[in-house]
Each structure stands twice: as C-alpha cells, then as structure tokens.
Amino acid sequence: MTPKVLVVEDEVDLIELLRYNLEAENFSVATAEDAEEAMLRIAEATPDLILLDWMLPGTSGIEICRRIRARQDTARIPIIMLTARGEEEERVRGLATGADDYVVKPFSLPELMARIHALLRRSNPQLIAATLKAGDIELDRTTHRVRRSGKEVHLGPTEYRLLEYLMGNPGRVYSREQLLDGVWGTDVYVDERTVDVHVGRLRKAINRGRVKDPIRTVRGAGYAFDEKFVMS
C-alpha cells in the first residue's frame, strides 16, 4: 500500500521540492495551495498524512487544521505544520489546535522525512516498511542496521542515509544535486563532489569480497540503486 500525503503549501518551489522527495520514497502526493483546494483534495481521497503550511492566502493553516479536526471522518489524519513561526508560543498554539508535529522553516529535508516516517509508524504502522530489502542487502529503519548476506555492515550516518535513499526507489537515477538535497538537506552547503566521496565509502563498506556492486554510476547523470540487483 502506497502512503498518500497531501501537501498544503502556496510556495511553488517548495511544493515541487517536497513532491520530488516524497515520491522518491514511494509516497503518493497530492497538493493544494489554499483552504478550498485542500478540503476538496481531502474529500476526493483521504490522505494518510497532511503537510500543512501555517501562512496561506485567505484561510490560515491553523483554521484548516481546526476544520479537519472538527470532522469525524478526518479528525484522526496526522498533520505536520510547516511554518516560519518558531517562537514557543506559536508552536504551542499549533499543537493545541490539533497538529501532531511542528516543523520550522527553513527545515532539513532528511529531518522532515524522518518525522513523516515516525508519525506514520505511530498512526498507521502497516504503511511504512520497517525494513528495506534488495538482493542480499537488508536495511532496518528501526535499528539503523544494515546486513548483507546475513553479516552486519558498519556504516556511518551519512552512508546509511545515502543507502536508504537509493534503496527507496531502485532504478531511479539521482544527480549529485538531488542526492545533496535529499540526504544532506537544502539548508546545508556541501560541494557536489562530496557525494562521490560518500558513495565511495558506501561501496567500500557493502562490497567486501567478491560481491556484486548494487550502486550503478550513470556517466554524466549521477547514481542509482541497480534495479537488476533487486531481482537477483
């Protein structure tokens, strides 16, 4: 089952960034730019989670949150509020209105994705796979452990996130820039060649002995987790 996320946001660039990263992790994404469109999207197909911007044109995200919580058929949908308001009293107000979590802009994409996974694990655990498996590689999202052919593979935090990101959508080619945004986040400046360094470390860790390399280099484009390896 593919988890459905509704993004309610009026910044077009942010909508596309969130859509790209959510779809990369196999979420189905719907979008809305105001309250009327948001309620229409919810009526069309109930989402499993809502990313809701506080500052929207016309009706605010706070009021949309109240409306969602007031309806019996939508009251239990998990909501993460996205906002530039970072003061404690504003966070308390957002949570008191019914938001399940509160993320301040600018935010780290990896952190936001982790919060989405954590919230869905609590609200609807069957939607989020705790384990990713491909060929003889197994990645446990709960313990952050990786095994290959039953043997534990020791990875640093960045190499772990990189492997998880690539395994989330086998066959999809990611440019270095896309990997930087998805793994490091958009709020951190890192040189694109840093990606090559960490891919090299990841390969060294998971390819000990005479085993097949699951990471495919696409010249001039980037990297992908080989879909043929998944079927092996």
Side-chain angles (χ1 to χ4, degrees):
M1 185 184 298
T2 301
K4 300 184 291 294
V5 175
L6 173 62
V7 178
V8 186
E9 169 63 61
D10 63 330
E11 295 181 35
V12 176
D13 290 344
L14 183 54
I15 289 174
E16 292 309 310
L17 182 64
L18 290 170
R19 182 200 295 277
Y20 179 86
N21 283 274
L22 286 163
E23 290 180 346
E25 296 205 22
N26 298 317
F27 288 96
S28 172
V29 181
T31 64
E33 295 185 23
D34 55 37
E36 183 178 355
E37 190 177 6
M39 301 311 291
L40 178 61
R41 293 283 175 268
I42 292 171
E44 290 173 345
T46 303
D48 298 301
L49 183 141
I50 298 173
L51 295 178
L52 178 59
D53 184 28
W54 181 309
M55 300 295 290
L56 292 168
T59 306
S60 70
I62 284 286
E63 179 57 31
I64 296 173
C65 187
R66 287 197 185 100
R67 293 180 187 180
I68 292 169
R69 292 292 180 246
R71 289 173 45 180
Q72 186 174 359
D73 58 335
T74 60
R76 294 184 178 276
I77 299 175
I79 297 173
I80 297 179
M81 191 77 75
L82 306 177
T83 178
R85 297 169 177 260
E87 298 83 2
E88 181 181 359
E89 63 183 54
E90 299 296 348
R91 294 199 301 271
V92 171
R93 183 182 171 198
L95 294 170
T97 303
D100 298 279
D101 204 350
Y102 190 102
V103 178
V104 178
K105 298 177 181 178
F107 50 77
S108 158
L109 270 172
E111 179 184 352
L112 176 61
M113 298 307 298
R115 287 174 180 268
I116 290 170
H117 282 286
L119 187 50
L120 284 176
R121 277 197 298 271
R122 294 196 300 270
S123 65
N124 203 345
Q126 68 269 25
L127 283 173
I128 299 295
T131 303
L132 293 178
K133 294 182 180 179
D136 59 351
I137 297 177
E138 182 176 307
L139 183 148
D140 190 321
R141 283 172 159 161
T142 304
T143 63
H144 284 207
R145 290 185 174 179
V146 176
R147 295 180 180 276
R148 182 161 195 181
S149 298
K151 296 180 179 179
E152 188 161 357
V153 178
H154 298 283
L155 299 177
T158 302
E159 286 71 40
Y160 172 86
R161 294 196 305 271
L162 185 58
L163 179 62
E164 181 184 27
Y165 198 76
L166 290 169
M167 287 181 69
N169 204 343
R172 182 166 185 167
V173 178
Y174 294 99
S175 68
R176 292 178 179 86
E177 183 179 0
Q178 289 166 342
L179 288 173
L180 284 175
D181 288 346
V183 177
W184 279 264
T186 57
D187 57 339
V188 177
Y189 175 75
V190 182
D191 186 87
E192 287 191 3
R193 292 298 166 182
T194 301
V195 174
D196 299 335
V197 173
H198 286 280
V199 168
R201 290 176 182 171
L202 175 58
R203 279 176 159 154
K204 184 177 180 180
I206 63 176
N207 294 333
R208 296 187 183 279
R210 295 184 178 181
V211 294
K212 182 179 179 181
D213 184 359
I215 299 173
R216 182 163 54 93
T217 301
V218 181
R219 184 170 294 181
Y223 299 99
F225 196 89
D226 195 345
E227 67 272 27
K228 295 180 180 178
F229 179 83
V230 177
M231 304 303 294
S232 63

